[in-house]
Amino acid sequence: MNIITIIKNKCKKQELTNDELNFFVKCTVDGCIDQYQIGAMLMALYLNNMTNAEVLGMTVAMANSGKMLQFRSSDTVVDKHSTGGVGDKVSIPLVPALKAAQEDLIIPMISGRGLGFTGGTLDKLESIPGFSANCLDYEQLLSIGNSFGCFIIGSSDLSPADSILYKARDVTSTIDNNGLIITSIISKKLAAGIKYLVLDLKVGSASFFHSIEEAKVFGKQFVIVAKLLGIESRVLMTRMSSPIGNYVGNSLEILESINCLKGKGPSDLHTLVETIGGHLLEMTHKVKSVKEGRNRIVKSLNDGTALEKFKQMLIKQKVDENIADELCYGNTAAVLPMAKYVIEIKSPTSGYVKSINGIMIAEVCQKLGAGRQFFHQDIDPAVGVHLFVKIGDYIKRDNVYMVLYHNEIDLNKLFLTLLQNSIELTNEIVKPENIIIGVIDCNNS
């Protein structure tokens, strides 16, 4: 079999066979094909799209490219995945809250880093002193999963093909393709042994999917492919134009996650955590309805069990017990990296908040060090923004509606102008839209 022939076949819009896809994936992991050929293959798949059969075949090949986690069969293995957005810290409080609400679940979350305007869960967690995204090997992952029941980690052992292809997709502008996105997500979930999955599909100006219609097309294909591979999935379409919560930035989002775990987070973050958790509990037949599942999540957030579970998870993942305790029960901000400089940004006029441009805020934070423009770039965990308003709020002129945290000695004033322009005001009363747009599963796909 020849990689050049395979690339040529796809360029001619021919459907690739499982053998051809397996060959491409194996050669990618083994390093026996050129980087140019990987890029050419991705571009051929991107431009000519992938059939469901190709998506299925490539997903299996990628999942089988590394080790597979096999937890004890008596427990239900569940997970959540997000297509990414600004201020998306949902996974951090969700995992311990869900585990605290239902102890017999196993939640092996293999997460990722931020790239572009989206923030990475692992980057946020690594702002906690001592936390390392890759501190556990395969045997340790199995052991913690079976004994403790949850973790949030990065792993090069699981679907290594995805790690290689994701980096290649970023530098070849082949990120936003439905088939390639689905193979990336589901291959990791298959390798982690997931049986039930909720996909948080972000829709809006600060996401990969700008319209509900294109999100529906993706969601329907996603649940079909997942079902064929033995994963019961459900897609929640959620709004992503303005940031989730009140904070954007790595340390700041950990601070907000701790508040959520204490039952004191912003309402939109709580809605997402409670709703996604409620769906997973209902899907696994632990409760009779999503509403009952949501109530279970609310209880774990309010009674302290979710926070304690988070603390124990950090300790399992090599964070010093004293640091974990101070982070959760003491002076949280004192534990986390904080910026040297703080600048208040005031409203230039009075009015109701009509929109908050999440992309603009994220790009400013990225350029100041909170995000990365290439994969191995270091980030500054202390950089970020604190928003004091949400859509629909009324703000008076000269009142502070945003604070920028940064470490620049000589800050470019353009950044302040961009942040001020990110909030649009109007004289008309604005009614906020529900953050949950709709649900897609096998019954309505």
Side-chain angles (χ1 to χ4, degrees):
M1 200 168 287
N2 185 292
I3 187 62
I4 297 174
T5 302
I6 295 172
I7 294 170
K8 191 175 294 184
N9 288 343
K10 191 59 190 176
C11 287
K12 294 178 180 178
K13 300 186 178 181
Q14 295 179 17
E15 184 177 75
L16 300 181
T17 66
N18 285 345
D19 286 343
E20 289 174 318
L21 292 166
N22 279 320
F23 181 81
F24 167 65
V25 170
K26 186 177 188 306
C27 287
T28 296
V29 174
D30 292 346
C32 58
I33 60 174
D34 195 275
Q35 289 293 319
Y36 300 117
Q37 292 171 321
I38 293 175
M41 179 66 163
L42 288 172
M43 189 57 71
L45 292 169
Y46 179 89
L47 292 176
N48 297 306
N49 286 320
M50 301 172 71
T51 66
N52 276 349
E54 286 176 324
V55 173
L56 202 65
M58 190 161 169
T59 302
V60 172
M62 289 167 63
N64 288 329
S65 67
K67 295 180 178 179
M68 308 276 279
L69 290 174
Q70 293 181 318
F71 298 103
R72 60 179 188 270
S73 59
S74 60
D75 285 311
T76 308
V77 187
V78 307
D79 199 4
K80 160 261 179 192
H81 185 86
S82 169
T83 53
V86 181
D88 187 358
K89 70 228 15 119
V90 173
S91 294
I92 297 169
L94 173 64
V95 169
L98 182 59
K99 179 62 180 175
Q102 188 66 43
E103 278 290 346
D104 62 353
L105 295 180
I106 293 179
I107 314 164
M109 182 170 285
I110 310 300
S111 197
R113 300 192 178 279
L115 204 57
F117 67 85
T118 60
T121 298
L122 297 182
D123 296 318
K124 293 164 190 175
L125 285 167
E126 284 192 337
S127 65
I128 301 171
F131 186 97
S132 174
N134 298 98
C135 65
L136 303 175
D137 61 26
Y138 173 78
E139 295 299 331
Q140 290 172 318
L141 290 178
L142 272 180
S143 176
I144 291 177
N146 284 326
S147 61
F148 182 68
C150 68
F151 52 75
I152 304 175
I153 203 77
S155 177
S156 57
D157 290 332
L158 305 182
S159 188
D162 179 59
S163 300
I164 298 168
L165 292 175
Y166 184 84
K167 296 174 190 176
R169 283 169 56 210
D170 181 63
V171 297
T172 55
S173 193
T174 53
I175 290 286
D176 55 337
N177 176 272
N178 287 3
L180 292 173
I181 295 172
I182 290 170
T183 60
S184 176
I185 296 171
I186 299 183
S187 64
K188 283 282 192 188
K189 304 308 176 185
L190 270 181
I194 305 303
K195 300 300 180 187
Y196 298 88
L197 173 66
V198 166
L199 176 68
D200 182 2
L201 179 56
K202 303 297 185 187
V203 185
S205 60
S207 72
F208 292 118
F209 299 92
H210 292 175
S211 75
I212 293 175
E213 286 310 309
E214 64 178 340
K216 283 182 178 179
V217 170
F218 175 87
K220 290 175 181 179
Q221 186 180 13
F222 185 92
V223 296
I224 290 170
V225 172
K227 184 177 182 180
L228 290 171
L229 293 171
I231 299 175
E232 183 180 333
S233 67
R234 192 171 289 175
V235 174
L236 267 62
M237 294 185 294
T238 65
R239 297 189 196 280
M240 174 43 67
S241 295
S242 59
I244 298 171
N246 300 320
Y247 290 94
V248 177
N250 297 286
S251 284
L252 295 175
E253 290 187 50
I254 291 296
L255 190 68
E256 189 162 55
S257 296
I258 296 294
N259 288 337
C260 180
L261 285 163
K262 294 177 178 179
K264 299 175 182 178
S267 61
D268 55 349
L269 178 58
H270 272 276
T271 296
L272 290 169
V273 171
E274 294 158 14
T275 303
I276 294 169
H279 275 276
L280 283 167
L281 289 171
E282 189 269 336
M283 288 167 67
T284 53
H285 311 291
K286 303 300 182 182
V287 295
K288 294 179 180 179
S289 67
V290 174
K291 182 179 179 180
E292 183 185 349
R294 283 194 62 167
N295 290 338
R296 294 267 295 276
I297 300 296
V298 171
K299 182 177 184 298
S300 74
L301 292 171
N302 289 337
D303 68 10
T305 55
L307 183 63
E308 179 61 24
K309 188 66 68 176
F310 181 67
K311 173 191 164 183
Q312 295 302 325
M313 184 181 77
L314 293 179
I315 294 169
K316 293 287 184 184
Q317 295 188 217
K318 309 299 177 69
V319 175
D320 181 87
E321 186 172 352
N322 292 327
I323 290 175
D325 190 71
E326 185 67 18
L327 180 80
C328 294
Y329 299 110
N331 186 349
T332 302
V335 174
L336 298 168
M338 288 291 144
K340 295 178 183 177
Y341 308 110
V342 178
I343 297 180
E344 294 181 340
I345 300 172
K346 297 179 179 181
S347 177
T349 184
S350 298
Y352 295 93
V353 178
K354 182 178 180 180
S355 67
I356 302 174
N357 190 323
I359 287 285
M360 195 176 291
I361 293 170
E363 287 178 346
V364 169
C365 291
Q366 179 198 46
K367 289 172 182 175
L368 289 174
R372 53 175 62 85
Q373 298 177 56
F374 52 89
F375 198 80
H376 293 292
Q377 184 179 3
D378 290 333
I379 62 171
D380 185 340
V383 169
V385 163
H386 181 187
L387 286 160
F388 289 90
V389 293
K390 304 290 282 184
I391 291 175
D393 289 350
Y394 183 81
I395 182 80
K396 291 183 178 181
R397 181 180 177 178
D398 290 331
N399 280 10
V400 175
Y401 61 9
M402 188 188 306
V403 168
L404 172 65
Y405 295 83
H406 70 97
N407 287 317
E408 300 290 313
I409 296 175
D410 186 19
L411 181 71
N412 188 334
K413 297 299 186 290
L414 175 62
F415 292 136
L416 300 180
T417 301
L418 289 171
L419 289 176
Q420 190 170 61
N421 291 342
S422 70
I423 296 182
E424 181 184 4
L425 300 178
T426 178
N427 292 325
E428 304 293 327
I429 295 175
V430 177
K431 183 179 179 181
E433 295 179 295
N434 194 328
I435 196 168
I436 308 295
I437 298 171
V439 179
I440 301 170
D441 59 21
C442 288
N443 296 321
N444 59 15
S445 63

